[in-house]
Amino acid sequence: MAAASRMESDGSEQAEYAGEWEFQSQIHKTPSAEAGVEAKHEARYRRDGCRFIKDVAQHLKLHMNVYNTGAVFYHRFYLQHSFKSYPRFYMAAACLFVAGKVEEQPKKLKDLIPCVYELYPRKTTTAADGGVQALGQKMWLELKMQILSNERALLQTLKFDLVVKHSPQYLFEYAKGLQLESGEKIPNQLVQLAYRYVSDSFQTLMCLEYRPMELAVALLYLATTMLKLTLAVQPKTSNGAAGAVPQAVEWWEHFVPGSSTQMQEIHQKALTYYEQIGESLQSTAQPALQALARAPAATPPSASPGVGSATTPGSVTGRNHERSKSASKMSSSKSRQRSGPY
């Protein structure tokens, strides 16, 4: 499906996120807040639970969509219940358990429980050697009952509404329809940085406050700002596509009309998140900036350099063209290996 075709379905998808799971009115009066939990502590509990879901999912080699879905379930649940009523790590395990089934990557309890026990955050160790005490039959049964009980509570809270769409899928879809303002292909580092921002947003309530397509364009734009890049819609997606927005419109409006109003708000919340965890937007972008500085200059798609020429992607301009034939072949071969889709 072409990136521009997403525009045709934006209206219906926007309707999907209105109503039952639109939480703007509940963000500042959650059950935890009413129970006396401070806002900064509630934000930390949300981060703790989502990180735990991610750690267990990675340990079990589950797809990132399982983590994303589990994080959304976790946030939805605690907008209906207090952290004082349901311990966050046990509920996080239940959210991952249900998410695995929803995303068609189910894990049996015999596989999930040992991993949950091993990764469960502990203030003190219980074994004589300073390690974690072996998982015994009694503890295994306790964890099993806790997860199954929380699963029932989660499904009742969600009212069995389990279909979730995520911002990463929109991020990658939109990136395919974009290029640098100069006409060059967008660098991998930009997509990777944007993906980090999108992935981190699941540790906050942004994944409930905004539609996934809004988060995708806003955080992709934030990544372009941090890397000092300017994007434009590729001509093939702006000319003649059904329902296409004129090229004069900003690229994010081309994909998600009306998204400009949420841009600044999403950027501010992303900034707040990184400040809360002791990072800055500048520090998140530093590895990508360094990689871009080391990367050779790319060639605009319209150019047609000869094989082994100095402007071939992956080559360094200004090199002596009087290389030997063997060196030229090696350079040409490397260029072809590097010039693939991101």
Side-chain angles (χ1 to χ4, degrees), residues 2 33 59 72 81 109-110 121 146 177 195-196 211 236 260 277 281 311 320 330-331 334:
H59 195 84
V72 171
H81 301 276
L109 286 174
K110 68 180 181 67
Q146 189 76 50
Y195 178 73
R196 177 186 174 175
R211 294 181 297 149
K236 62 182 179 182
S260 295
I277 64 173
L281 287 174
T311 56
N320 187 349
M330 290 176 61
S331 175
K334 290 179 180 178

mmCIF file of all heavy atoms in Angstrom, residues 2 33 59 72 81 109-110 121 146 177 195-196 211 236 260 277 281 311 320 330-331 334:
data_model
loop_
_atom_site.group_PDB
_atom_site.id
_atom_site.type_symbol
_atom_site.label_atom_id
_atom_site.label_comp_id
_atom_site.label_asym_id
_atom_site.label_seq_id
_atom_site.Cartn_x
_atom_site.Cartn_y
_atom_site.Cartn_z
ATOM 1 N N ALA A 2 0.606 2.170 -0.859
ATOM 2 C CA ALA A 2 1.399 3.385 -0.925
ATOM 3 C C ALA A 2 1.142 4.227 0.300
ATOM 4 O O ALA A 2 0.061 4.191 0.893
ATOM 5 C CB ALA A 2 1.042 4.176 -2.185
ATOM 6 N N ALA A 33 -4.708 9.002 41.374
ATOM 7 C CA ALA A 33 -4.654 10.365 41.903
ATOM 8 C C ALA A 33 -5.694 10.558 42.995
ATOM 9 O O ALA A 33 -5.419 11.184 44.038
ATOM 10 C CB ALA A 33 -4.872 11.363 40.769
ATOM 11 N N HIS A 59 13.115 -10.764 26.538
ATOM 12 C CA HIS A 59 13.688 -12.000 27.065
ATOM 13 C C HIS A 59 13.044 -13.221 26.405
ATOM 14 O O HIS A 59 13.718 -14.233 26.161
ATOM 15 C CB HIS A 59 13.491 -12.060 28.579
ATOM 16 C CG HIS A 59 14.331 -13.095 29.266
ATOM 17 N ND1 HIS A 59 15.636 -12.858 29.645
ATOM 18 C CD2 HIS A 59 14.059 -14.375 29.622
ATOM 19 C CE1 HIS A 59 16.130 -13.948 30.214
ATOM 20 N NE2 HIS A 59 15.182 -14.884 30.213
ATOM 21 N N VAL A 72 -0.200 -0.521 25.988
ATOM 22 C CA VAL A 72 -1.494 0.158 25.840
ATOM 23 C C VAL A 72 -2.511 -0.427 26.810
ATOM 24 O O VAL A 72 -3.257 0.308 27.476
ATOM 25 C CB VAL A 72 -1.999 0.052 24.385
ATOM 26 C CG1 VAL A 72 -3.438 0.551 24.278
ATOM 27 C CG2 VAL A 72 -1.104 0.868 23.456
ATOM 28 N N HIS A 81 -8.352 1.869 37.253
ATOM 29 C CA HIS A 81 -8.055 1.320 38.577
ATOM 30 C C HIS A 81 -6.829 2.022 39.159
ATOM 31 O O HIS A 81 -6.022 2.600 38.432
ATOM 32 C CB HIS A 81 -7.800 -0.188 38.493
ATOM 33 C CG HIS A 81 -8.957 -0.953 37.936
ATOM 34 N ND1 HIS A 81 -10.024 -1.356 38.701
ATOM 35 C CD2 HIS A 81 -9.206 -1.393 36.673
ATOM 36 C CE1 HIS A 81 -10.889 -2.004 37.945
ATOM 37 N NE2 HIS A 81 -10.419 -2.046 36.709
ATOM 38 N N LEU A 109 2.121 -20.221 30.296
ATOM 39 C CA LEU A 109 2.521 -19.781 31.638
ATOM 40 C C LEU A 109 3.815 -20.451 32.087
ATOM 41 O O LEU A 109 4.605 -19.853 32.824
ATOM 42 C CB LEU A 109 1.395 -20.059 32.635
ATOM 43 C CG LEU A 109 0.179 -19.123 32.556
ATOM 44 C CD1 LEU A 109 -0.908 -19.597 33.497
ATOM 45 C CD2 LEU A 109 0.576 -17.692 32.879
ATOM 46 N N LYS A 110 4.044 -21.671 31.650
ATOM 47 C CA LYS A 110 5.280 -22.356 32.057
ATOM 48 C C LYS A 110 6.517 -21.662 31.498
ATOM 49 O O LYS A 110 7.620 -21.816 32.043
ATOM 50 C CB LYS A 110 5.240 -23.816 31.616
ATOM 51 C CG LYS A 110 5.306 -24.051 30.115
ATOM 52 C CD LYS A 110 5.261 -25.534 29.793
ATOM 53 C CE LYS A 110 5.354 -25.788 28.297
ATOM 54 N NZ LYS A 110 6.654 -25.410 27.750
ATOM 55 N N PRO A 121 11.640 -6.834 39.689
ATOM 56 C CA PRO A 121 12.543 -5.958 40.462
ATOM 57 C C PRO A 121 12.480 -6.273 41.950
ATOM 58 O O PRO A 121 11.401 -6.364 42.529
ATOM 59 C CB PRO A 121 11.994 -4.550 40.179
ATOM 60 C CG PRO A 121 11.198 -4.693 38.923
ATOM 61 C CD PRO A 121 10.618 -6.076 38.966
ATOM 62 N N GLN A 146 -1.878 -15.241 40.455
ATOM 63 C CA GLN A 146 -1.861 -13.773 40.370
ATOM 64 C C GLN A 146 -2.056 -13.319 38.924
ATOM 65 O O GLN A 146 -2.833 -12.406 38.646
ATOM 66 C CB GLN A 146 -0.539 -13.244 40.919
ATOM 67 C CG GLN A 146 -0.486 -11.738 41.093
ATOM 68 C CD GLN A 146 -1.254 -11.274 42.308
ATOM 69 O OE1 GLN A 146 -1.071 -11.794 43.402
ATOM 70 N NE2 GLN A 146 -2.129 -10.306 42.134
ATOM 71 N N GLY A 177 7.267 7.329 1.979
ATOM 72 C CA GLY A 177 6.787 8.335 1.043
ATOM 73 C C GLY A 177 7.470 9.678 1.181
ATOM 74 O O GLY A 177 6.983 10.678 0.641
ATOM 75 N N TYR A 195 11.964 6.206 15.491
ATOM 76 C CA TYR A 195 11.421 4.977 16.066
ATOM 77 C C TYR A 195 11.688 4.923 17.573
ATOM 78 O O TYR A 195 10.837 4.471 18.348
ATOM 79 C CB TYR A 195 12.031 3.748 15.395
ATOM 80 C CG TYR A 195 11.538 2.454 15.984
ATOM 81 C CD1 TYR A 195 10.237 2.007 15.733
ATOM 82 C CD2 TYR A 195 12.341 1.687 16.810
ATOM 83 C CE1 TYR A 195 9.762 0.828 16.288
ATOM 84 C CE2 TYR A 195 11.875 0.510 17.375
ATOM 85 C CZ TYR A 195 10.589 0.087 17.103
ATOM 86 O OH TYR A 195 10.117 -1.070 17.669
ATOM 87 N N ARG A 196 12.849 5.419 17.995
ATOM 88 C CA ARG A 196 13.107 5.441 19.436
ATOM 89 C C ARG A 196 12.092 6.335 20.149
ATOM 90 O O ARG A 196 11.555 5.963 21.200
ATOM 91 C CB ARG A 196 14.520 5.949 19.712
ATOM 92 C CG ARG A 196 14.742 6.045 21.221
ATOM 93 C CD ARG A 196 16.021 6.655 21.661
ATOM 94 N NE ARG A 196 16.008 6.809 23.116
ATOM 95 C CZ ARG A 196 17.023 7.228 23.840
ATOM 96 N NH1 ARG A 196 18.167 7.519 23.255
ATOM 97 N NH2 ARG A 196 16.905 7.350 25.141
ATOM 98 N N ARG A 211 -3.954 9.859 18.534
ATOM 99 C CA ARG A 211 -4.060 8.777 17.560
ATOM 100 C C ARG A 211 -2.654 8.343 17.134
ATOM 101 O O ARG A 211 -1.725 9.148 17.119
ATOM 102 C CB ARG A 211 -4.851 9.247 16.340
ATOM 103 C CG ARG A 211 -6.311 9.563 16.627
ATOM 104 C CD ARG A 211 -7.018 9.990 15.348
ATOM 105 N NE ARG A 211 -6.450 11.214 14.802
ATOM 106 C CZ ARG A 211 -6.405 11.522 13.511
ATOM 107 N NH1 ARG A 211 -6.866 10.673 12.618
ATOM 108 N NH2 ARG A 211 -5.895 12.659 13.106
ATOM 109 N N LYS A 236 6.115 11.003 -6.382
ATOM 110 C CA LYS A 236 5.213 9.926 -6.784
ATOM 111 C C LYS A 236 4.036 9.778 -5.838
ATOM 112 O O LYS A 236 3.034 9.172 -6.184
ATOM 113 C CB LYS A 236 5.970 8.598 -6.854
ATOM 114 C CG LYS A 236 6.557 8.137 -5.528
ATOM 115 C CD LYS A 236 7.333 6.840 -5.700
ATOM 116 C CE LYS A 236 7.955 6.375 -4.388
ATOM 117 N NZ LYS A 236 8.743 5.144 -4.562
ATOM 118 N N SER A 260 -1.184 19.381 12.691
ATOM 119 C CA SER A 260 -0.324 20.487 13.147
ATOM 120 C C SER A 260 -0.721 20.984 14.526
ATOM 121 O O SER A 260 0.126 21.458 15.290
ATOM 122 C CB SER A 260 -0.381 21.648 12.148
ATOM 123 O OG SER A 260 0.166 21.269 10.907
ATOM 124 N N ILE A 277 13.428 11.071 33.069
ATOM 125 C CA ILE A 277 14.327 9.915 33.173
ATOM 126 C C ILE A 277 15.798 10.343 33.146
ATOM 127 O O ILE A 277 16.688 9.500 33.033
ATOM 128 C CB ILE A 277 14.053 8.887 32.056
ATOM 129 C CG1 ILE A 277 14.354 9.483 30.669
ATOM 130 C CG2 ILE A 277 12.632 8.395 32.131
ATOM 131 C CD1 ILE A 277 14.271 8.453 29.548
ATOM 132 N N LEU A 281 16.718 15.701 24.916
ATOM 133 C CA LEU A 281 16.536 15.407 23.500
ATOM 134 C C LEU A 281 17.863 15.471 22.755
ATOM 135 O O LEU A 281 18.102 14.715 21.816
ATOM 136 C CB LEU A 281 15.532 16.396 22.892
ATOM 137 C CG LEU A 281 14.064 16.180 23.287
ATOM 138 C CD1 LEU A 281 13.200 17.307 22.754
ATOM 139 C CD2 LEU A 281 13.559 14.840 22.765
ATOM 140 N N THR A 311 30.712 9.654 -7.265
ATOM 141 C CA THR A 311 29.453 10.052 -6.635
ATOM 142 C C THR A 311 28.548 8.873 -6.340
ATOM 143 O O THR A 311 27.422 9.044 -5.962
ATOM 144 C CB THR A 311 28.695 11.035 -7.548
ATOM 145 O OG1 THR A 311 28.510 10.423 -8.841
ATOM 146 C CG2 THR A 311 29.442 12.330 -7.693
ATOM 147 N N ASN A 320 40.988 9.738 -5.880
ATOM 148 C CA ASN A 320 41.692 9.642 -7.155
ATOM 149 C C ASN A 320 40.997 8.632 -8.049
ATOM 150 O O ASN A 320 40.769 7.489 -7.673
ATOM 151 C CB ASN A 320 43.152 9.195 -6.880
ATOM 152 C CG ASN A 320 43.984 9.241 -8.144
ATOM 153 O OD1 ASN A 320 43.468 9.396 -9.254
ATOM 154 N ND2 ASN A 320 45.291 9.122 -7.971
ATOM 155 N N MET A 330 35.982 -3.535 -6.281
ATOM 156 C CA MET A 330 35.653 -3.675 -4.869
ATOM 157 C C MET A 330 34.775 -2.519 -4.404
ATOM 158 O O MET A 330 33.795 -2.695 -3.691
ATOM 159 C CB MET A 330 36.931 -3.731 -4.015
ATOM 160 C CG MET A 330 37.736 -5.013 -4.179
ATOM 161 S SD MET A 330 39.260 -4.959 -3.237
ATOM 162 C CE MET A 330 38.618 -4.777 -1.603
ATOM 163 N N SER A 331 35.126 -1.301 -4.840
ATOM 164 C CA SER A 331 34.345 -0.127 -4.460
ATOM 165 C C SER A 331 32.944 -0.221 -5.014
ATOM 166 O O SER A 331 31.959 0.082 -4.347
ATOM 167 C CB SER A 331 35.035 1.144 -4.955
ATOM 168 O OG SER A 331 34.249 2.283 -4.705
ATOM 169 N N LYS A 334 30.899 -2.801 -2.995
ATOM 170 C CA LYS A 334 30.483 -2.288 -1.697
ATOM 171 C C LYS A 334 29.343 -1.300 -1.853
ATOM 172 O O LYS A 334 28.433 -1.245 -1.042
ATOM 173 C CB LYS A 334 31.661 -1.626 -0.975
ATOM 174 C CG LYS A 334 32.714 -2.621 -0.513
ATOM 175 C CD LYS A 334 33.862 -1.904 0.157
ATOM 176 C CE LYS A 334 34.945 -2.889 0.624
ATOM 177 N NZ LYS A 334 36.081 -2.191 1.240
#
